[in-house]
Amino acid sequence: MSGPKIELHKGDLPAGLSFGASVAVDTETLGLNPHRDRLCLVQLSAGDGTAHLVQLAKGAYAAPRLKTLLTDANVLKIFHYARFDVAVLETFLGVATTPVYCTKIVSKLVRTYTDRHGLKDLAAELAGIELSKQQQSSDWGADTLTQQQLAYAASDVLHLHAIKAKLDAMLDREGRRPFAEAAFAFLSTRARMDLAGFSEDDIFAH
Ligand code: MN
């Protein structure tokens, strides 16, 4: 069996590349604070076994083709924990990513039999894939990323379509799609609130 295909692009997506109606997206940064930690890599996959990795050098965030894709109303962007990635993409690329789907949100809506909603947990249970999180905290700002980093980064987007298909069936089975759609519609605001300093506050709480 051949492994996944990984294509590394510097600065932007190549011209003429199409991902179809939905694209899985993930980001790698220098840390968890978008006000401090820069965006280094954006991973994308059409769910076809190929991952496209866009490496962004410090301060070089023009990436017009990537921005066009992220804001294309006809292409659904599938994330795991979109809240973070959308805030990062807004901060560094200056675009509001839309429309979005988040596998973590849907997992919380339908997998109420567990409190394990990490990508590793979803990949194992819903796609039968064992993901390694070994390279998660590595130096994503390096000029030359290691083969291990590239493989790890790719694995974060390669299985999101398969996971989404399983979650969608559960969403409909449990009649909770309206909750998911409303949460997705609120996501860009939630991300902006995080950036505005409301990350720890639940404004719905008593
Ligand atoms: Mn990742």
Side-chain angles (χ1 to χ4, degrees), residues 4 7 11 32 34 39 45-47 49 55 69 86-88 96 102 108 126 128 143 145 150 162-163 178 181 190:
E7 294 192 22
L32 297 178
L39 172 64
S45 177
Q55 190 176 17
L69 177 68
V86 167
V88 167
C102 177
K108 287 181 179 180
L126 302 176
D143 286 339
L145 298 172
L150 297 177
I163 291 167
E181 298 295 344
R190 177 66 268 185

Side-chain angles (χ1 to χ4, degrees), residues 25-44:
V25 187
D26 186 35
T27 65
E28 301 303 334
T29 64
L30 275 181
L32 297 178
N33 180 354
H35 295 300
R36 178 192 65 188
D37 306 319
R38 71 178 170 91
L39 172 64
C40 302
L41 194 70
V42 180
Q43 308 100 281
L44 308 111

Side-chain angles (χ1 to χ4, degrees), residues 11-13 56 60-71 93 95:
D12 198 1
L13 286 167
L56 300 165
Y61 297 111
R65 285 186 286 270
L66 177 59
K67 289 176 185 173
T68 297
L69 177 68
L70 294 175
T71 55
L93 301 184
V95 295

Side-chain angles (χ1 to χ4, degrees), residues 24-170:
V25 187
D26 186 35
T27 65
E28 301 303 334
T29 64
L30 275 181
L32 297 178
N33 180 354
H35 295 300
R36 178 192 65 188
D37 306 319
R38 71 178 170 91
L39 172 64
C40 302
L41 194 70
V42 180
Q43 308 100 281
L44 308 111
S45 177
D48 58 359
T50 295
H52 292 272
L53 277 42
V54 180
Q55 190 176 17
L56 300 165
K58 188 175 183 185
Y61 297 111
R65 285 186 286 270
L66 177 59
K67 289 176 185 173
T68 297
L69 177 68
L70 294 175
T71 55
D72 188 335
N74 297 312
V75 181
L76 181 67
K77 270 65 72 174
I78 308 167
F79 293 90
H80 183 76
Y81 198 49
R83 179 176 171 177
F84 175 75
D85 299 296
V86 167
V88 167
L89 292 167
E90 166 115 21
T91 301
F92 290 91
L93 301 184
V95 295
T97 303
T98 185
V100 299
Y101 181 105
C102 177
T103 52
K104 189 164 201 148
I105 288 174
V106 178
S107 178
K108 287 181 179 180
L109 286 172
V110 298
R111 293 175 67 254
T112 46
Y113 48 81
T114 178
D115 59 1
R116 301 186 66 87
H117 302 287
L119 180 59
K120 196 174 162 54
D121 304 304
L122 297 187
E125 183 183 306
L126 302 176
I129 302 281
E130 293 301 326
L131 287 184
S132 166
K133 282 278 154 192
Q134 220 171 3
Q135 295 295 318
Q136 190 163 33
S137 18
S138 61
D139 179 13
W140 293 103
D143 286 339
T144 304
L145 298 172
T146 65
Q147 285 306 312
Q148 288 85 351
Q149 282 179 306
L150 297 177
Y152 163 76
S155 71
D156 275 355
V157 289
L158 286 168
H159 311 294
L160 288 182
H161 283 79
I163 291 167
K164 174 183 180 292
K166 290 285 175 68
L167 290 172
D168 277 344
M170 295 169 85

